[in-house]
Amino acid sequence: MTSAPAPIKAKLRVGDLVFSRSAVFAGSMILVTLAAVAVFLIVQSIPALSATKDDASILETNFWEYVGPLVFGTVWAAALALLFALPISIGIALFISHYAPRRLASVLGYVVDLLAAVPSVVFGLWGIGVLAPAVVPAYTWLNENLGWIPIFGGTVSATGRTILTAALVLAVMVLPIMTAICREVFLQTPVLHEEAALALGATRWEMIRVAVLPFGRSGIISASVLGLGRALGETMAVAMVLSAAHVVTFDLLTSVNPTTIAANIALSFPEAYALNVNVLIATGLILFVVTFAVNAFARWIISRRKEFSGAN
């Protein structure tokens, strides 16, 4: 009985070896960097987690009562921004991918992508100098006609620098990346699926509803998470636009607004000293945990809808 021939092994080349090792190194560096950031935040935050106002002057009572309003303001502003940006980004992406002529679609795509290159401080200046004064009449109208709804109640801010204005600025900032992802996912919809829907008598909107949107659902979720992550961590635009206080309130139009973790760190860090620095780093750890939890939740949703992913 003859034995099976030995498998032929490909000759290892120097270029292949260098590329494979470089790819492994680059991939592992992501985990190393993430672990290093987590370790730094945890080590620096430990002294602040049990601190009180006697230990750190920045605290009014203890750390957890200090960080509570900050977490609320961060999530509240990011959620409002996502509420405004998501339908607009989906609409722009659908227009570019399925309605606009090719030349116009390419121009609009470039214009939307260019918004991502605008620095956040420019958006902050635009929010203070242009958007905030312009929305005051609209806020007054909302207060007069819909003031019976709690979020539109209270005394309207005369400057327009409210949590709603900050959310609008954040919505403009996250719009490019969300639109770009949705557009690319919609363009990957199998042509046979679209043609089959149209052949069965569906209108263009019905074709989009039954073929394009289900196919791109995981992409929409991914775009939402990336936009939410950008909104959660945005610093300068919120710090410049928002007239903030250390409170928990759902009012959208008043001058008393909750602030965000990132903006609070940016505004308080230059004057922080001793344990106050650890307190601010600890709030950064909370933001790190919140962002990680949001991404993990999104991955869980996507994993339950693998049949809608572009890979399948």
Side-chain angles (χ1 to χ4, degrees), residues 235-236 238-240 242 244 259 262-271 280:
T235 304
M236 289 310 301
V238 177
M240 295 172 67
L242 191 60
T259 188
N264 180 71
I265 293 175
L267 295 175
S268 303
F269 200 85
E271 300 178 357
L280 295 178

Side-chain angles (χ1 to χ4, degrees), residues 95-96 99-111:
F95 177 75
I96 293 175
Y99 284 93
R102 289 301 89 192
R103 290 187 178 181
L104 178 60
S106 61
V107 173
L108 288 177
Y110 290 139
V111 171

Side-chain angles (χ1 to χ4, degrees), residues 139-162:
Y139 289 174
T140 303
W141 184 91
L142 287 174
N143 181 260
E144 293 175 351
N145 294 274
L146 299 177
W148 52 273
I149 302 177
I151 59 176
F152 297 127
T155 303
V156 178
S157 172
T159 62
R161 297 176 61 182
T162 69

Side-chain angles (χ1 to χ4, degrees), residues 101-124:
R102 289 301 89 192
R103 290 187 178 181
L104 178 60
S106 61
V107 173
L108 288 177
Y110 290 139
V111 171
V112 172
D113 293 341
L114 283 175
L115 283 176
V118 179
S120 59
V121 65
V122 175
F123 282 109

Side-chain angles (χ1 to χ4, degrees), residues 101-220:
R102 289 301 89 192
R103 290 187 178 181
L104 178 60
S106 61
V107 173
L108 288 177
Y110 290 139
V111 171
V112 172
D113 293 341
L114 283 175
L115 283 176
V118 179
S120 59
V121 65
V122 175
F123 282 109
L125 293 173
W126 170 75
I128 293 177
V130 178
L131 183 62
V135 296
V136 172
Y139 289 174
T140 303
W141 184 91
L142 287 174
N143 181 260
E144 293 175 351
N145 294 274
L146 299 177
W148 52 273
I149 302 177
I151 59 176
F152 297 127
T155 303
V156 178
S157 172
T159 62
R161 297 176 61 182
T162 69
I163 190 71
L164 184 57
T165 305
L168 291 173
V169 174
L170 288 177
V172 176
M173 296 181 65
V174 304
L175 194 64
I177 187 171
M178 295 176 63
T179 302
I181 295 175
C182 291
R183 180 188 66 211
E184 296 303 320
V185 172
F186 295 158
L187 288 173
Q188 293 176 11
T189 305
V191 178
L192 290 178
H193 293 185
E194 299 179 358
E195 292 178 347
L198 294 173
L200 291 174
T203 63
R204 180 171 295 188
W205 163 241
E206 290 172 337
M207 178 271 293
I208 290 173
R209 184 167 55 86
V210 301
V212 178
L213 293 180
F215 179 85
R217 192 171 303 174
S218 61
I220 294 174

